[in-house]
Amino acid sequence: MNPRFLPALILLFLSACTVYKEYPIEVYTPGEAPVPSDTRKVAVIYRNFKYPGDTLLHFYRDDSQLMKSQSDPVELDSLLVATCLNKLAASLKKNQSFSEVRILPYHTFKRHTGEELIDLPADLAKQIANASGTDLILSLETFSSFFSGYPVSFGVPKASEVVTVAVWSIYDPQRSLTLERKTMIDTIYWNGYDNKGNYMENYAPPPRLNALHIAAALSGENYAKRFYATWQTVDRMYSVPPLPDFSGAAYYFEEGELGKAIILWKKYSDEKNGKLAINARYNLALAYELKDDLLTAQKWLAASLDLAQKHRSSKDIRMIKTYQKVLEKRIKVLETVEQ
């Protein structure tokens, strides 16, 4: 074999055998909803709008068959909406998003149907705000839910799910503005398994009406999260080339011993190590992000990208640039919070 080809073959081997692993981290996420800073009191309303095709309120799916319930309460829609809005209001109050949250009665708007959902007229929004003494209106424009049941099949236990679709709008009556319209689709699934994948004996999914109320509450709670800061779990990627030092660094990293992992990765961060240096620099960026040193993390990412571009490693370039965008967003969020 021509010795000139040996470095290229080694690089090819390392590239082929490198393992990429996901690692979950907790990141701080502020409220995403565009709420004016001077907002103190909000009104919560239900527009009572339905699209023409939204006709399955009293239907459900049982083992792929569409069935109609014979025992639903006539006011099922209002009951589910009340569950949704009450959970929204409770979550907002618990997290002190506003000084006051007022839910207007369900019958504030009569049921109306149309092909297009139009904004709440500005003059009507002002009337509602003035009458309720509020600064902002959170409007559940339309709400739908559908239950599906799945029987025992091929050893798989009985299961069920509910899909909810909610369209929310934020109206600013003082400025005559629609600040946001957000469609949220949530799915909640029951199958008798716990978070570790163990089946719970004698488990039974909740009955249909109970399941619909649980899902409606979840829908309201998930929308409320847009109005307050939370810690969210996100996945990051790091690489483990087939070398003992990288395996050791991965072990230390997973055990939370970041200092030891950093020492091992820095051994390979010099440009002379080629592809290994790209991996090492990228991993160092993640380690420093976990240490909350985001500026140092940015520097290691930039160094990793510089080397990846020299080696024309398109896969690494894509991965690094994706991480750069995520990191830049985190830095901007923290800068906003600190102001």
Side-chain angles (χ1 to χ4, degrees), residues 176-242:
S176 299
L177 294 174
T178 301
L179 300 179
E180 180 186 63
R181 174 163 288 167
K182 180 74 174 178
T183 299
M184 299 191 69
I185 302 174
D186 294 296
T187 302
I188 184 168
Y189 189 76
W190 295 269
N191 62 3
Y193 290 95
D194 61 22
N195 293 334
K196 296 182 179 180
N198 301 314
Y199 181 68
M200 298 175 287
E201 289 190 28
N202 302 319
Y203 174 84
R208 172 174 164 268
L209 291 180
N210 288 2
L212 288 172
H213 279 282
I214 293 171
L218 178 68
S219 178
E221 182 179 13
N222 284 344
Y223 184 61
K225 291 177 181 177
R226 293 182 54 78
F227 295 87
Y228 53 83
T230 58
W231 286 92
Q232 296 183 358
T233 301
V234 297
D235 288 326
R236 294 285 191 263
M237 192 82 70
Y238 73 99
S239 58
V240 188

Side-chain angles (χ1 to χ4, degrees), residues 136-204:
L136 207 68
I137 297 174
L138 309 184
S139 173
L140 175 56
E141 310 281 58
T142 184
F143 179 82
S144 299
S145 58
F146 188 75
F147 175 91
S148 297
Y150 306 99
V152 177
S153 178
F154 299 104
V156 178
K158 184 177 181 180
S160 60
E161 72 174 8
V162 175
V163 178
T164 59
V165 180
V167 179
W168 301 86
S169 292
I170 303 175
Y171 297 105
D172 183 345
Q174 307 306 321
R175 302 170 179 84
S176 299
L177 294 174
T178 301
L179 300 179
E180 180 186 63
R181 174 163 288 167
K182 180 74 174 178
T183 299
M184 299 191 69
I185 302 174
D186 294 296
T187 302
I188 184 168
Y189 189 76
W190 295 269
N191 62 3
Y193 290 95
D194 61 22
N195 293 334
K196 296 182 179 180
N198 301 314
Y199 181 68
M200 298 175 287
E201 289 190 28
N202 302 319
Y203 174 84

Side-chain angles (χ1 to χ4, degrees), residues 7-39:
L9 289 175
I10 292 174
L11 182 62
L12 180 63
F13 171 77
L14 290 175
S15 300
C17 297
T18 296
V19 175
Y20 294 88
K21 294 186 176 182
E22 287 187 344
Y23 186 81
I25 70 171
E26 295 285 321
V27 299
Y28 178 81
T29 304
E32 299 175 318
V35 176
S37 58
D38 57 351
T39 302

Side-chain angles (χ1 to χ4, degrees), residues 44-48 75 77-79 81-82 85 103-112 128:
V44 178
I45 64 172
Y46 177 47
R47 288 280 298 282
N48 218 341
E75 69 278 15
D77 184 70
S78 64
L79 293 174
V81 167
L85 297 186
I103 303 177
L104 273 63
Y106 173 88
H107 53 75
T108 300
F109 290 86
K110 292 183 179 180
R111 171 65 57 85
H112 56 293
I128 292 173

